[in-house]
Amino acid sequence: MIKNKLILGTVQFGLNYGINNSVGKPSTENIKAILNLAFNNGIELLDTAEAYGNSQERIGEYHQNSTHKFQVITKFSSVVKGLSLNIKERVFQNIKTLQIDSLYGYMFHSFSDFENYYPSFEKELISLKKDGVITKIGVSLYSNEEFEKVLEYENISLVQLPFNLLDNEIKRNKILSKAKNKGIEIHTRSAFLQGLFFKQANDLNKNLKPLSSPINKLQNLCSEDYKINDLALNYVYSQKNISKVLIGVDTIEQLKSNLESINKSISKEQLKVINTINIKETDLLNPSNWNL
């Protein structure tokens, strides 16, 4: 199959994660099935992090027992204990855990980690990149303001940020174009806003009530043959400035559904409606502010 733009996120492998996750962490057998299906459908890249519980170990276990080898992005997190603060040692420890030869990307898990640690790690990270141990050095971000600051650093070539039906072109298009023109590879996450789009607008708690009307508007763009899953994924997938789209799944059925979605497309009419949605309560676009 043709390689696709999807990256498989693996936070679910190591933590109970997501507003709609009722199954918890998948079993080793289910992880094997998910990763085999992903690999056989042209997904080459996994996204993990030091802070994702035992996600790295479970990927390593898969690699050890499979002929399939994924490229992997992992992320430095200052809150994780037990890892070396010598960044070269730390990177090699991650590589060993993941049972791979090198990293596609080594990212800072947040802008604050980037600001606090990149200046002291920069020289060693560039050396690791030169030696082929890391292909890209990157940062995981939330805001456009953070993104603007990161664009000033010449050795950052990978950025991950939220982009979805609500955190959309109105919010992100200008900065994405600017980054693409600078040669930055852009990966987006939160395509389903942690499962929020699958909730009925009437079922949202009072903190999320301001999102009821836009979610209704989005659900009205769907039909029996074109679900909200299709709309959410194709909206992000169709963006020319986005290199890769990160999705996470709890089950093999979810992955099958996502693979079916990207064989569909999104219409100009649907795009037009989505791009009129401008969320004023921008704090609600970050799930950590939901207070569920």
Side-chain angles (χ1 to χ4, degrees):
M1 181 178 246
I2 297 168
K3 295 170 188 173
N4 60 51
K5 280 172 72 167
L6 294 181
I7 302 174
L8 189 64
T10 64
V11 59
Q12 287 92 337
F13 292 3
L15 298 170
N16 294 325
Y17 178 83
I19 193 173
N20 279 334
N21 180 357
S22 58
V23 296
K25 293 195 287 184
S27 66
T28 299
E29 207 52 45
N30 285 341
I31 287 176
K32 181 181 176 184
I34 288 166
L35 291 178
N36 282 344
L37 182 67
F39 191 89
N40 290 329
N41 281 275
I43 296 174
E44 299 183 322
L45 195 51
L46 301 180
D47 175 273
T48 188
E50 295 167 357
Y52 290 169
N54 65 338
S55 170
Q56 292 196 136
E57 285 80 2
R58 300 188 86 184
I59 293 167
E61 186 183 344
Y62 173 84
H63 280 149
Q64 198 169 25
N65 296 300
S66 174
T67 54
H68 298 155
K69 282 277 192 206
F70 287 91
Q71 296 184 71
V72 184
I73 293 167
T74 195
K75 306 180 202 79
F76 168 88
S77 177
S78 60
V79 300
V80 176
K81 307 303 176 197
L83 285 169
S84 174
L85 268 179
N86 176 307
I87 198 61
K88 282 195 172 180
E89 284 179 14
R90 191 176 183 119
V91 166
F92 281 112
Q93 191 174 339
N94 283 324
I95 286 171
K96 185 180 178 185
T97 301
L98 290 160
Q99 296 282 313
I100 51 177
D101 299 323
S102 62
L103 288 170
Y104 182 81
Y106 191 65
M107 305 185 79
F108 291 85
H109 208 142
S110 65
F111 183 70
S112 62
D113 273 348
F114 173 73
E115 273 197 317
N116 291 332
Y117 292 92
Y118 181 69
S120 56
F121 292 166
E122 183 178 27
K123 192 176 172 186
E124 286 83 0
L125 288 173
I126 292 167
S127 168
L128 288 167
K129 187 177 175 184
K130 191 177 173 185
D131 292 343
V133 178
I134 298 169
T135 303
K136 292 178 183 286
I137 304 165
V139 194
S140 180
L141 304 169
Y142 269 101
S143 73
N144 293 345
E145 291 73 26
E146 291 172 349
F147 205 159
E148 288 283 3
K149 290 176 185 173
V150 166
L151 288 179
E152 295 169 15
Y153 292 81
E154 62 177 292
N155 289 300
I156 300 301
S157 54
L158 176 62
V159 163
Q160 185 194 106
L161 80 164
F163 188 93
N164 55 61
L165 296 165
L166 299 181
D167 204 344
N168 53 20
E169 277 193 49
I170 288 174
K171 305 287 185 197
R172 304 290 191 184
N173 205 37
K174 199 177 285 186
I175 190 72
L176 291 179
S177 296
K178 190 173 178 181
K180 184 86 182 283
N181 289 336
K182 281 199 74 175
I184 305 284
E185 185 171 320
I186 299 161
H187 296 177
T188 59
R189 64 180 184 274
S190 296
F192 306 118
L193 202 49
Q194 238 185 71
L196 183 71
F197 298 136
F198 305 117
K199 294 275 187 195
Q200 290 302 311
N202 294 337
D203 295 338
L204 298 181
N205 71 17
K206 69 175 185 182
N207 293 321
L208 296 174
K209 279 297 176 195
L211 301 181
S212 297
S213 176
I215 285 176
N216 260 333
K217 188 183 277 193
L218 293 170
Q219 289 172 344
N220 288 337
L221 295 174
C222 301
S223 65
E224 193 62 38
D225 299 323
Y226 196 91
K227 310 283 191 192
I228 192 76
N229 188 76
D230 303 324
L231 188 74
L233 199 47
N234 279 294
Y235 178 66
V236 186
Y237 207 82
S238 67
Q239 301 291 324
K240 290 182 171 57
N241 290 327
I242 292 171
S243 310
K244 295 278 187 184
V245 177
L246 173 64
I247 58 163
V249 300
D250 306 317
T251 64
I252 194 165
E253 287 74 26
Q254 286 175 4
L255 180 56
K256 284 177 182 171
S257 173
N258 289 327
L259 290 166
E260 286 168 13
S261 288
I262 60 168
N263 286 322
K264 301 179 183 179
S265 58
I266 191 165
S267 71
K268 287 181 181 175
E269 291 73 24
Q270 287 169 317
L271 284 169
K272 194 173 175 183
V273 173
I274 295 162
N275 289 329
T276 63
I277 296 172
N278 189 2
I279 303 298
K280 304 296 184 191
E281 303 85 353
T282 53
D283 58 315
L284 294 183
L285 298 176
N286 182 344
S288 64
N289 296 324
W290 288 351
N291 299 320
L292 297 180

